[in-house]
Each structure stands twice: as C-alpha cells, then as structure tokens.
Amino acid sequence: MKVLNYLLAYRRFLLIVLTPLLLLPLPLIIKTKEAECAYTLFVVAIFWLTEALPLAVSALLPAFMFPLFGIMESKEVASAYFKDFHLLLMGVICLATSIEKWNFHKRVALRMVMLVGVNPAWLTLGFMVSCSFLSMWLSNTSAAAMVMPIVEAVAQQITTADAEADMLELSYSNGSTNLALELDENVGECENSDWTEKGKQVNGYDNDMSSTVCTIEKENEKEKEQNLPPAETGRKSREDKYSGIFKVMCLCIAYSATIGGLTTITGTSTNLIFAEHFNTRYPDCKCINFGSWFILSIPITVVILVLSWVWLQWLFLGFDFKSMFKCGKKKTAREEASAKVIQEEYKKLGPMSYPEIVTLILFILMTLLWFTREPGFIPGWSSLFPKYKGYATDSTTALVIGLLFFIIPAKTLSRTSNGESTAYGYTPLITWKEFQSCMPWEIAILVGGGFALADGCEVSKLSAWVASKLTPLGSLPLWLIILISCLIVTSVTEVASNPATITIFLPILSPLVSIIEVAFNQIVLCHPCSCSKKQFF
C-alpha cells in the first residue's frame, strides 16, 4: 500500500520522466528527421493531454528539442512563437480589460435580462443571450465569471422571497389553530401506538398482530398526507421546481459562454489558432477575416443557442407556453423578487460613466473597422492602400484601438463653483498592470508552441509522411472524412483542453486536404466529362 501511495503521489513526476525515456527508441532506432520530429510531437502531445507539466511549459519543449535534433535552427523556432495571432489577442485583451474594469459587462448583462422579463424561461434566455454576447469579445471563462455573480444574486433573492411567501401562506392556512402542532401530536400518538403493538408482538402477547401493525402504519401515512395544509403539500413541488430553475440558470451560463465564443474569430483561442494556422499554410488565400467568420458562424450560433435553451427548459422545467406568452398576468413572488433584484443591481450602477462611454465607442469602432476591412461584396477601407494590399490585417485594427486604451484619460476635468478646473493625476483607461492580469500568457505560449510544431513537421517532412499514410482515406466520401475527423477530435477534447487539442491535430489533419485534392484530380482524369469540380464538392 505504501508503494501504491508513493506512486500516486509522484505520478506526475513519473510521467514526466518516463515519457521521454519510453519513447527514446523511436529516434535512436529509426534515425530519420521524421522520427525525431515525431518523438518531439509525441512527448509534447502527451504532456499537453495529461497536463503533467503546465501547458505553457510543455509548449517550450520544441524550442530546444528541434535545434538539438537538427530539425530547425534556434532563431527559426523562436520566430514561430510570436505571430500575427498574438498581436490580435493583445488588442482584444485591451478591450476586455477596460470592459471588466469599468463594469460595462454588468450593465450589458442586466440590461438584456431586463428587456426579456422575469418569467423563468425568458429570464434564462436573457442570461444566455447576455453571456453569449460577452463571450463574443471576451474569453469564455471570463464571460461566465462575470455573469455568474448576477445569477447568484437573483437566485438568492428568489429563495428569500419564496421562503417569506411560504411562511405567509402557512400562517393564513392555519388561522387560529396550529395544524402543524396538531399533526405532530397525532403523529406522536400513532408512533406510540405502533411501538405498543410492535412491543406486544415481540414479547409474545399477540402473534397475529403483524398484519394489524402494517395496516396502522399505512393509515398513518394517509392521515399525514390528508392533514397537511396546502402550503405544506405544495412546498416539496415548489422546492423541486426552484431547484430546477437554479440548475438551469447555472447551466445556461456555462453553455452560452461556450456557444458565444464560436461567433467571432476573437471569441475563443481555438478560432484564432485555426485562423493563424490556415493563413500560414495558405498565404495566398485571404478569405478568412472577422466579417467572413461572423457571417458564417452567426446562424450556427443562433440555432445552437435556441436549441440549448429549449433543451434545458424542457429537461428541468418543462415548457409552459401559456405562461410564457400570456400578457397582463400577475407576477408571482419569485418573479417579483427577480425583477426587484435586477432593477436594484442596475440602479447601483447609476448612469453611464465617462469611461464606460469611451469603452463603448472604442468597442463599436473596433467592430466596424473589422467588418469593413475586406467585406467582400464592397471595397473595404484596406482598398485605400492599393500599394500595400494584404499588409493590414485584423490585428492592425485591434492594436490601434488597443493602444488608445492606454492613451485616453480615465477622468474628465471637473470644475469648481468658481469655474476653475481641478487638477488630477493622469490615469489612462487601463494600465499595463491591469492588462497583464487579464492577458492569457499561457495561451499565447501554447499557441506559439503549436506553430513551432507545425513548422517542424513541414521542415522534417513528417507532414508529407503522414499524408502518404493517410492516402487510403482520400477514396472515402468527403462527408465521411469530416465525420471521422470530428469524432476523433471531439473525443480527445473531452479529456484535454481545447487549445491543446486543436494545436495537436491541426498539423496532423492538415495533410488530409492534399489527399482529397489528389483523389479529386484522379477522378477528374479518369472521368473528365462525368463531373466538374463544383459538383464534386
């Protein structure tokens, strides 16, 4: 047992030591650049999947393993750790820092909830919409953490209001006589009689009393149910219902934070990792930008959000369409409590402050610049610089707006009664220390390690080797290849983080594109008149 306890206590250390040693025969026996790169890839992937080391620390392994194996020079590996992705991420984090610092996220969430109403179904939808909207511009974790305190306040107020309503209803139903006390006395008498009957049976006074005792117990249960006042009989059902409401509120925040991150290219790190990898692998294809991603993803996001809302409502509360769409209905104690706490929280924020207004203006400006850079159907503002086509990207816009957060002062000049301006210390909207506390440096280094692995796979010809081994998959239908890839990646991401999963599989699954293209070319050459490229895809 002691040995087992030691193994469990040092399992991470053993995994760190044994993984490189057990995989060491791969580069020693095969002695090719492909095997050496595969060795590095396997070691890093295992550390990422098990998190034996922190993700950022594991991402630094290619920085010294590739130069040691002679795959890439140190300066080449180092250049892979900082890409256009990091500049875009830094600009977005500047916006997120200002939103969080000046409580603008709280105002948005409360306002959206107030618009939809306090009915349980609409209240849940309001929280989902507000959280998903915040998750479009902030990280999923930050969006959930920002909205959860509001949900907890509403839930606590609902519990208090329901308890007061139950006590009031119970006092009205009792009147001058306390039925609860009478019930306790009756129960005590029944219990005494039960124990008397059972005692007689045990002592041998009456051997035929077993059926009588069971009958008395059943009658006592029926009397308990019949003597309960209406407030007591409905208490358990109300508690179950309110428990379902609280579960729905918490789950809807978790779901909507993830769903909202799909909508924009900056919503979650996995979107940014894919976009950077795609642009690096296909530099001549400039089809992925903020606007094209949003147009593609917004219908998917809306459908998934609505289906999640319907599923959670049906699973925990059940749909009551009459109460949802009935106008002029009197609010229950729970709904009044919800409306009260939401209004009180919104009043505490007061009118929009100067920093909130500036943050909102910069947020709108950043979004408009993203959408209008290369909208596709009309010339964007990037066409104003024809000599430098492709030089400006979404990261350029993010950095320009992000720098303004460090320049614009957080306070305005206030004047005294004499008309003189009061002096104050210059403080920008956000400081570098505040930016550092919000910047996900671990994700930035993790993504850099993924880019280094991808470059190493290309230089060592490991990607070409994997493509040659995956050639049989090229004969499969396109939808089946996509289905298999989705199932594999989805299964792995159940036990590993999303950024680590996509960083591992992008260099491996990217060769599938060339396989599909080769298979298509073979089909066209064999049957030149049977189909066209458009029909094939």
Side-chain angles (χ1 to χ4, degrees):
M1 290 298 295
K2 290 185 177 180
V3 176
L4 183 60
N5 291 334
Y6 281 124
L7 291 177
L8 291 175
Y10 290 93
R11 60 185 182 276
R12 293 178 59 188
F13 176 77
L14 294 175
L15 186 64
I16 296 170
V17 175
L18 294 178
T19 298
L21 293 178
L22 294 177
L23 295 175
L24 195 58
L26 180 64
L28 293 180
I29 296 175
I30 302 179
K31 295 181 180 180
T32 60
K33 295 301 178 183
E34 293 90 339
E36 293 169 351
C37 183
Y39 172 77
T40 305
L41 179 63
F42 288 150
V43 171
V44 175
I46 291 173
F47 286 167
W48 274 343
L49 294 176
T50 59
E51 296 190 18
L53 286 174
L55 295 178
V57 177
S58 301
L60 294 174
L61 294 179
F64 73 88
M65 295 182 72
F66 282 166
L68 290 179
F69 285 125
I71 298 174
M72 296 176 64
E73 295 182 5
S74 181
K75 59 182 180 180
E76 294 176 350
V77 181
S79 63
Y81 276 85
F82 200 88
K83 297 282 188 178
D84 188 63
F85 156 84
H86 297 86
L87 299 178
L88 178 60
L89 181 64
M90 293 175 69
V92 173
I93 294 302
C94 291
L95 172 64
T97 304
S98 183
I99 290 175
E100 184 176 356
K101 177 181 179 180
W102 303 110
N103 281 330
F104 184 68
H105 63 284
K106 194 172 184 180
R107 185 179 298 276
V108 172
L110 290 174
R111 194 62 186 175
M112 287 188 176
V113 173
M114 291 172 64
L115 290 175
V116 298
V118 294
N119 182 276
W122 297 121
L123 185 65
T124 304
L125 182 61
F127 279 124
M128 293 186 72
V129 172
S130 59
C131 187
S132 60
F133 177 77
L134 292 174
S135 183
M136 294 180 188
W137 318 102
L138 314 175
S139 67
N140 299 344
T141 306
S142 300
M146 291 174 182
V147 181
M148 276 304 298
I150 305 174
V151 175
E152 292 176 359
V154 173
Q156 185 178 3
Q157 192 68 18
I158 290 174
T159 305
T160 305
D162 289 336
E164 294 176 356
D166 289 342
M167 292 298 295
L168 185 62
E169 186 177 355
L170 182 61
S171 62
Y172 286 158
S173 62
N174 288 340
S176 58
T177 307
N178 192 339
L179 297 178
L181 294 178
E182 291 181 4
L183 179 64
D184 293 338
E185 293 175 359
N186 294 334
V187 171
E189 292 176 0
C190 293
E191 290 178 351
N192 292 333
S193 63
D194 290 345
W195 280 110
T196 303
E197 297 294 339
K198 292 178 180 178
K200 289 180 180 180
Q201 181 181 1
V202 172
N203 294 329
Y205 293 119
D206 191 354
N207 295 328
D208 297 328
M209 289 297 293
S210 58
S211 61
T212 306
V213 171
C214 294
T215 304
I216 292 174
E217 290 177 353
K218 292 179 180 179
E219 292 178 353
N220 289 337
E221 293 295 333
K222 293 180 179 179
E223 290 178 0
K224 291 178 182 179
E225 295 178 358
Q226 294 176 356
N227 293 333
L228 285 174
E232 289 291 335
T233 53
R235 185 187 298 275
K236 181 173 176 53
S237 61
R238 285 196 299 270
E239 289 179 353
D240 294 339
K241 182 179 179 181
Y242 299 149
S243 177
I245 293 174
F246 301 153
K247 291 178 183 177
V248 168
M249 286 184 179
C250 295
L251 286 175
C252 76
I253 298 303
Y255 285 11
S256 58
T258 304
I259 295 170
L262 304 174
T263 312
T264 61
I265 200 171
T266 59
T268 182
S269 57
T270 52
N271 298 350
L272 291 169
I273 295 171
F274 163 76
E276 182 64 29
H277 186 88
F278 182 87
N279 293 330
T280 303
R281 189 174 182 85
Y282 307 102
D284 296 332
C285 181
K286 301 295 182 180
C287 57
I288 294 182
N289 53 42
F290 188 90
S292 62
W293 185 284
F294 183 84
I295 294 173
L296 172 68
S297 301
I298 190 64
I300 302 173
T301 302
V302 172
V303 171
I304 297 176
L305 192 69
V306 173
L307 290 178
S308 301
W309 173 60
V310 172
W311 171 253
L312 290 175
Q313 291 296 316
W314 177 81
L315 187 63
F316 290 96
L317 301 178
F319 263 108
D320 187 1
F321 290 99
K322 292 183 179 179
S323 61
M324 286 177 60
F325 297 99
K326 188 175 181 180
C327 300
K329 182 182 176 182
K330 185 179 179 180
K331 295 181 180 179
T332 62
R334 172 179 44 77
E335 293 175 349
E336 291 180 353
S338 302
K340 182 179 179 182
V341 69
I342 292 172
Q343 292 175 359
E344 289 179 353
E345 290 293 328
Y346 192 79
K347 288 181 180 178
K348 290 179 182 178
L349 298 176
M352 286 191 67
S353 61
Y354 163 76
E356 287 181 272
I357 296 174
V358 176
T359 301
L360 177 60
I361 293 174
L362 293 179
F363 164 71
I364 296 174
L365 183 60
M366 180 184 289
T367 306
L368 290 177
L369 290 176
W370 274 337
F371 274 111
T372 57
R373 182 175 67 86
E374 287 182 358
F377 55 93
I378 58 173
W381 59 264
S382 61
S383 61
L384 300 176
F385 310 95
K387 293 183 179 180
Y388 309 105
K389 185 177 181 180
Y391 279 55
T393 62
D394 289 336
S395 62
T396 308
T397 300
L399 281 179
V400 170
I401 303 299
L403 290 175
L404 294 178
F405 286 100
F406 292 97
I407 298 174
I408 299 176
K411 296 180 180 179
T412 57
L413 292 175
S414 58
R415 298 184 179 277
T416 61
S417 57
N418 298 330
E420 298 179 357
S421 300
T422 58
Y424 66 91
Y426 167 71
T427 304
L429 288 173
I430 60 173
T431 62
W432 180 254
K433 186 176 182 180
E434 294 167 345
F435 168 79
Q436 281 188 312
S437 62
C438 295
M439 179 66 185
W441 295 110
E442 184 181 34
I443 298 297
I445 299 175
L446 170 66
V447 176
F451 293 148
L453 283 176
D455 293 346
C457 291
E458 292 290 336
V459 173
S460 64
K461 305 295 181 61
L462 179 62
S463 297
W465 182 85
V466 172
S468 64
K469 298 302 179 183
L470 296 177
T471 302
L473 292 177
S475 59
L476 297 177
L478 182 61
W479 66 268
L480 186 58
I481 297 176
I482 296 174
L483 178 61
I484 294 174
S485 303
C486 289
L487 290 177
I488 294 174
V489 176
T490 304
S491 301
V492 174
T493 196
E494 292 292 334
V495 295
S497 64
N498 296 340
T501 303
I502 191 174
T503 305
I504 293 171
F505 280 97
L506 272 179
I508 298 175
L509 296 179
S510 294
L512 281 175
V513 179
S514 59
I515 295 172
I516 296 172
E517 185 178 357
V518 170
F520 166 72
N521 292 333
Q522 293 175 352
I523 292 174
V524 173
L525 289 175
C526 295
H527 306 281
C529 299
S530 60
C531 65
S532 64
K533 185 174 182 180
K534 183 177 181 181
Q535 292 172 343
F536 179 77
F537 289 100

